[in-house]
Structures are given as structure tokens and as C-alpha cells.
Amino acid sequence: MADGQAWRIRQAEAGDVAALSLVATATFLETFAGVLPGAAIVAHCTKAYAPEGFAAYLAKGSKAWLAEAAPGNAPVGFAQLTAPELPGALDGDIELKRIYLLSRFHGTGAGAALMAAAVAGAAGHKRLLLGVYARNARAIAFYRKQGFEQIGERRFDVGGQLFDDVVLARPIAAA
């Protein structure tokens, strides 16, 4: 953490799966409580954000970066790249599976730093893809500011209930 900055970004390791799980659950709940049904949120977080799931992703070559806050390096956000699982994916694409940040850290530059880490980690790929809840206007505005454009739609299962997502993509600049 440099020059009074209240957070830092570092690449996640296998020993960080509990932190990734905690941040994923906390940010998903914070973002969607009062928007999506509570039972669906709990079911989704329990299944999708279990530490074992993050361990499996990392073991298969997924990359992740943690945002940590001072003092004590508490986890407050993360970004994760995986092989693409989205409609419209082409050869050479990579997926930004998740980029989550606690709202208290919105506007601090931590989200942009997580995105920059993910874009740098995607070097060698043609496009970076992501899926986002179609009604999450704040996130969509952030992604558009980061150079993403809509390329499609999908239905996303949250705890057994389907919701509309948009699929966005941005080119990765050649090194």
C-alpha cells in the first residue's frame, strides 16, 4: 500500500481460497440483497462460492487477484479469469468470471486496479468477456468505461432461479 493508499492488489494463491470465498459471498449479498430473492442468494453463494470451488478453478489454471485493505490486509475484492463459459465466446477469448469489490471501496481506484490486473493477466488473448446482471446499471457503466461492449445475452441461474444477464466483451491490446 503506497502513498497513503488504503488498499493493495496482489495475485491470489492456493492459500487464498477462504478469502476469495468470503469476499465473493459478502459482495454478492451486499449487491443483490433486496434485489434478488434471499433464498436464491443463499443457495447461489453456498454452491458457487465455496472455497473448494475456488481451489478447483485455481488448480485448473484460473488466475485471481485480491484487493486487500489496510490495516491488516483484509480481503475487500477480487478479480478472476477463467476459460470462457459464455455464449458468443470465440477462440482466443478469456472470461473475467468475477470482479467483485465491497461497496465501501467503490470510487477508491481499487476496482480499476483489479480490472487492470485482469486485463494484464489476459495478455495473449484476443478478447476479455464477462457476464453481468442486466439490471446492474452501476456495474455496466463501470464496464463500459473500461471499454466493454455488449455482444449477447444469457440466462443466469442464481440458486435455481433464472435471471437475465448481458454478455460484454473488450479487445485485449496486442503486446
Side-chain angles (χ1 to χ4, degrees):
M1 293 169 229
D3 302 325
Q5 185 172 287
W7 50 265
R8 72 173 183 168
I9 306 296
R10 68 170 180 83
Q11 189 157 357
E13 301 171 356
D16 293 316
V17 296
L20 294 168
S21 173
L22 177 66
V23 173
T25 299
T27 55
F28 197 88
L29 177 62
E30 180 184 54
T31 302
F32 295 111
V35 176
L36 303 179
I41 292 170
V42 170
H44 177 75
C45 289
T46 300
K47 181 179 178 186
Y49 302 144
E52 300 79 17
F54 283 104
Y57 271 117
L58 292 173
K60 289 189 246 179
S62 174
K63 295 178 188 175
W65 295 265
L66 270 170
E68 297 175 322
N73 300 327
V76 297
F78 75 100
Q80 179 185 13
L81 294 178
T82 66
E85 300 172 344
L86 291 167
L90 305 171
D91 285 342
D93 288 346
I94 191 164
E95 181 177 345
L96 181 55
K97 183 77 171 173
R98 300 175 178 111
I99 182 166
Y100 294 170
L101 184 66
L102 291 173
S103 65
R104 179 174 162 198
F105 293 88
H106 291 179
T108 67
L114 282 169
M115 181 63 77
V119 169
H125 292 85
K126 293 180 182 175
R127 294 188 307 173
L128 182 59
L129 309 179
L130 63 85
V132 60
Y133 182 48
R135 294 185 181 177
N136 191 341
R138 182 181 180 114
I140 291 170
F142 172 76
Y143 299 138
R144 290 200 187 285
K145 186 176 178 182
Q146 297 292 322
F148 285 86
E149 295 183 7
Q150 185 172 340
I151 62 163
E153 299 174 346
R154 72 167 175 181
R155 301 282 283 160
F156 187 72
D157 185 326
V158 176
Q161 297 188 38
L162 295 176
F163 297 90
D164 294 325
D165 274 7
V166 292
V167 178
L168 305 176
R170 66 161 280 179
I172 300 298

